[in-house]
């Protein structure tokens, strides 16, 4: 999914979990470029799987392929982008939120939105680097 200003991840104060904490919501739409990528991926998957003869009809006669709602994937990244410029990123290269001392991000959200799966090792490496940086400041 292409990064766009219109897409948002936010806390919804009107919807709270059992502990009273606002839930995370995503307000996302596909850009024309996203739709073209989805179309090309679907065509490639159909071509590659001809030998398997899968049933491509999903819910409501729409193909399930690439049709999960934006924000429903558990490997999403990029919501707290890392970078040197506070105008284009939320955190610096060590995960510290710009302009807020002692607030750090050490999860997938600092990674660029690359659409890959299973970013665990990269996330662990970044979290260790963040912890080492915090410790060096003591």
């Amino acid at each position: 999914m292409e990064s766009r200003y219109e897409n948002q991840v936010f806390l919804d104060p009107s919807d709270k979990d059992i502990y009273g904490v606002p839930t995370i919501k995503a307000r996302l739409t596909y850009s024309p470029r996203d739709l073209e990528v989805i179309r090309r991926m679907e065509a490639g998957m159909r071509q590659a799987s001809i030998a398997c003869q899968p049933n491509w009809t999903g819910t409501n006669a729409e193909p399930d392929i690439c049709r999960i709602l934006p924000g429903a994937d558990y490997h999403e990244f990029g919501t707290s982008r890392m970078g040197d410029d506070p105008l284009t990123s939320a955190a610096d290269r060590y995960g510290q939120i710009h302009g807020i001392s002692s607030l750090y991000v050490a999860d997938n959200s600092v990674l660029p939105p690359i659409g890959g799966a299973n970013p665990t090792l990269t996330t662990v490496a970044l979290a260790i680097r963040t912890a080492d940086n915090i410790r060096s400041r003591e």
Side-chain angles (χ1 to χ4, degrees):
M1 182 172 238
E2 186 175 39
S3 293
R4 296 182 318 132
Y5 179 79
E6 297 83 13
N7 291 341
Q8 302 173 352
V9 176
F10 59 96
L11 295 175
D12 184 353
S14 65
D15 185 17
K16 297 182 180 176
D17 66 16
I18 61 171
Y19 302 104
V21 177
T23 59
I24 297 173
K25 300 284 181 163
R27 185 177 298 124
L28 307 168
T29 58
Y30 292 123
S31 71
R33 183 173 176 217
D34 294 331
L35 294 172
E36 175 60 20
V37 168
I38 290 169
R39 188 198 63 71
R40 288 183 14 224
M41 286 174 47
E42 183 175 354
M45 291 174 72
R46 286 180 187 276
Q47 184 178 5
S49 64
I50 287 173
C52 299
Q53 298 180 348
N55 178 1
W56 290 101
T57 304
T59 315
N60 298 323
E62 295 258 340
D64 284 334
I65 205 167
C66 300
R67 299 293 188 206
I68 62 171
L69 293 175
D73 189 353
Y74 294 110
H75 294 300
E76 294 191 32
F77 344 138
T79 55
S80 296
R81 189 164 299 165
M82 184 173 21
D84 294 327
D85 185 352
L87 296 175
T88 59
S89 59
D92 71 13
R93 65 185 64 199
Y94 297 103
Q96 182 175 3
I97 296 295
H98 294 297
I100 303 176
S101 62
S102 301
L103 179 58
Y104 292 82
V105 179
D107 64 9
N108 294 345
S109 65
V110 298
L111 297 173
I114 57 175
N118 303 321
T120 304
L121 293 177
T122 303
T123 303
V124 170
L126 284 170
I128 290 170
R129 185 175 81 162
T130 297
D132 287 345
N133 180 263
I134 292 169
R135 187 168 185 196
S136 73
R137 294 178 183 202
E138 292 178 351

